[in-house]
Amino acid sequence: MKTIYVLVFFCFLLFLVAEARTTNQTDCKTFNCGNLDFDFPFFSTGMPSRCGLFKMNCSDHEVLEIQLAENGSWYKVTSVSQALTITITDPRLNRSLETGTCSDLSSFSLPDSPWLNMTTLYKCNNSRNKNGFAYANCGGGGSSLYYSNLGESHNETGCSAFKTPQSWVIPRNKNLSNVNATFSLHLNLPGSCYRCHRRGGECKMNEGEFYCVEALIDPKSHDPKSHDPKRQEKLKLGLGVALTAVVIIIMVTIIIVRANNARKSDWNGENVEAVAISKFCLGNGTRNIGKEQCEFNLLKSKLSLQEVRFVSE
Ligand SMILES: *[C@@H]1O[C@H](CO)[C@@H](O)[C@H](O)[C@H]1NC(C)=O
Ligand SMILES: *[C@@H]1O[C@H](CO)[C@@H](O)[C@H](O)[C@H]1NC(C)=O
Ligand SMILES: *[C@@H]1O[C@H](CO)[C@@H](O)[C@H](O)[C@H]1NC(C)=O
Ligand SMILES: *[C@@H]1O[C@H](CO)[C@@H](O)[C@H](O)[C@H]1NC(C)=O
Ligand SMILES: *[C@@H]1O[C@H](CO)[C@@H](O)[C@H](O)[C@H]1NC(C)=O
Ligand SMILES: *[C@@H]1O[C@H](CO)[C@@H](O)[C@H](O)[C@H]1NC(C)=O
Ligand SMILES: *[C@@H]1O[C@H](CO)[C@@H](O)[C@H](O)[C@H]1NC(C)=O
Ligand SMILES: *[C@@H]1O[C@H](CO)[C@@H](O)[C@H](O)[C@H]1NC(C)=O
Ligand SMILES: *[C@@H]1O[C@H](CO)[C@@H](O)[C@H](O)[C@H]1NC(C)=O
């Protein structure tokens, strides 16, 4: 009976270990917003930030909002395509463009995210007529021009860079650009990012190099090699679970085999006893009382099996 308790205890332990391992992944689940299902690389407010790269606020089911960077500005989502192209509106720029008070486009800038395809524009003080992007709508201030193809010369003083949607830099005609508060961005994630997430890790980019912060690591670490010892730790944990399982299987096997043996030997014992008594009563030990009576007497008496055996030999 004690072994049963030990077994139950081990099973409980195994369950606890397994539970602890999966908790981090179960925090991140598919969420529904406006009849659409989202999962990685999107995550919902209320989930930990390791669940994805783009936080979504879905508390108002009419208006879905998205953050392009951690703690960044919120953008209204118009659509999300299967090919991971999101169409969003910057409400601040929308307001500026609608009211016609947009005088300085450089107050607009998308976060410099490694996961988004964007282009760079340069705001320059000098009014040299370069080929490129010169924005009409926001020309109110009169001093700033916006260039897309400065090349090496962007380093010249008087120019500053900012990130914009790719669609902006294709002018519709010579005087008018495509600046629009509603624009599309293509999410560009390496496949290893999805694998990293499935392992419970966090996808990071440092100086153009992708790396995975494993589940059991300090999220602040930016050294791509630093996940190795932690990975071993995880491996050890897995090994521990496997070992526990093996021990339990062995224990169960031993208990079953023992129980079987015990039953078999009980049966054998009875059998040997009966055979011994029968043998004894068939021989000259009957003393005219008959075989049945002899057997009955022997069984009734407190003769142990050993004694009967001894007698019968
Ligand atoms: C879950 O994640 C947290 C922080 O991201 C980490 O401290 C913890 O060790 C992780 N637990 C497991 C079992 O991976
Ligand atoms: C989400 O949006 C609602 C309004 O739509 C707002 O009240 C709430 O504070 C937002 N949540 C976050 C985390 O920004
Ligand atoms: C975002 O905000 C949270 C809480 O305000 C802070 O702990 C975290 O460091 C911030 N992250 C970044 C990248 O600024
Ligand atoms: C942009 O501004 C116009 C006019 O102010 C408004 O009708 C429209 O709803 C706005 N779009 C978004 C996505 O905020
Ligand atoms: C996005 O940029 C990557 C390289 O940075 C490129 O391989 C990919 O084709 C681009 N995707 C789109 C839709 O422009
Ligand atoms: C920009 O110019 C500074 C000095 O004026 C120089 O040190 C730097 O390397 C230049 N950067 C690029 C990207 O050319
Ligand atoms: C443009 O020139 C003004 C002064 O003439 C200066 O204050 C401003 O910082 C300059 N802008 C850039 C982007 O260099
Ligand atoms: C572009 O601007 C020039 C002068 O500023 C004007 O003469 C021309 O008609 C404009 N073209 C269009 C298509 O608006
Ligand atoms: C901005 O883009 C949206 C969607 O692509 C389009 O419906 C709208 O007409 C555009 N606005 C302007 C001023 O071009």
Side-chain angles (χ1 to χ4, degrees), residues 63 75-78 88-99 181-182:
V63 187
Y75 300 85
K76 289 179 185 168
V77 178
T78 305
I88 57 177
T89 301
D90 182 349
R92 299 154 293 275
L93 183 62
N94 187 47
R95 238 173 285 128
S96 297
L97 292 178
E98 290 292 333
T99 56
T182 302

Side-chain angles (χ1 to χ4, degrees), residues 30-275:
T30 303
F31 60 101
N32 185 280
C33 206
N35 295 325
L36 285 174
D37 282 334
F38 292 97
D39 54 14
F40 187 81
F42 306 106
F43 69 108
S44 172
T45 52
M47 290 182 193
S49 64
R50 66 186 148 71
C51 288
L53 301 166
F54 303 98
K55 189 189 263 183
M56 280 183 161
N57 183 351
C58 192
S59 53
D60 179 357
H61 277 259
E62 302 291 303
V63 187
L64 177 55
E65 292 187 308
I66 193 170
Q67 261 180 349
L68 299 178
E70 195 178 346
N71 300 345
S73 310
W74 289 97
Y75 300 85
K76 289 179 185 168
V77 178
T78 305
S79 68
V80 178
S81 83
Q82 290 288 313
L84 286 185
T85 296
I86 54 170
T87 303
I88 57 177
T89 301
D90 182 349
R92 299 154 293 275
L93 183 62
N94 187 47
R95 238 173 285 128
S96 297
L97 292 178
E98 290 292 333
T99 56
T101 57
C102 178
S103 57
D104 187 0
L105 196 59
S106 67
S107 66
F108 171 89
S109 183
L110 294 173
D112 193 5
S113 166
W115 317 117
L116 299 170
N117 281 30
M118 295 179 290
T119 47
T120 306
L121 284 184
Y122 303 95
K123 181 202 175 193
C124 298
N125 262 348
N126 61 35
S127 55
R128 266 187 294 152
N129 201 7
K130 289 169 176 158
N131 286 333
F133 181 99
Y135 184 53
N137 287 13
C138 284
S143 60
S144 297
L145 286 168
Y146 303 96
Y147 295 101
S148 61
N149 59 347
L150 285 183
E152 288 305 307
S153 64
H154 77 265
N155 204 7
E156 75 185 57
T157 50
C159 287
S160 59
F162 63 106
K163 295 287 178 185
T164 66
Q166 286 177 318
S167 61
W168 281 15
V169 292
I170 311 146
R172 265 181 304 186
N173 62 49
K174 228 185 166 189
N175 291 1
L176 225 60
S177 73
N178 265 346
V179 170
N180 186 333
T182 302
F183 49 84
S184 296
L185 294 172
H186 181 72
L187 309 191
N188 189 39
L189 298 191
S192 41
C193 232
Y194 292 90
R195 287 192 288 278
C196 170
H197 176 70
R198 257 179 264 127
R199 287 203 302 273
E202 259 185 280
C203 199
K204 299 270 182 188
M205 186 84 96
N206 191 27
E207 286 162 12
E209 288 268 350
F210 157 81
Y211 67 97
C212 184
V213 180
E214 299 288 344
L216 292 167
I217 199 170
D218 174 17
K220 284 177 195 87
S221 170
H222 279 261
D223 180 6
K225 286 179 193 82
S226 67
H227 63 69
D228 281 338
K230 295 291 174 180
R231 214 173 159 178
Q232 276 173 1
E233 217 168 272
K234 226 181 154 189
L235 253 167
K236 269 186 210 160
L237 190 66
L239 218 71
V241 173
L243 254 163
T244 314
V246 165
V247 165
I248 286 173
I249 288 168
I250 288 172
M251 277 174 62
V252 168
T253 312
I254 287 172
I255 287 166
I256 288 171
V257 166
R258 269 197 177 174
N260 271 349
N261 280 352
R263 223 182 305 140
K264 229 184 241 166
S265 68
D266 274 359
W267 185 81
N268 278 348
E270 271 171 32
N271 205 35
V272 163
E273 194 168 13
V275 166

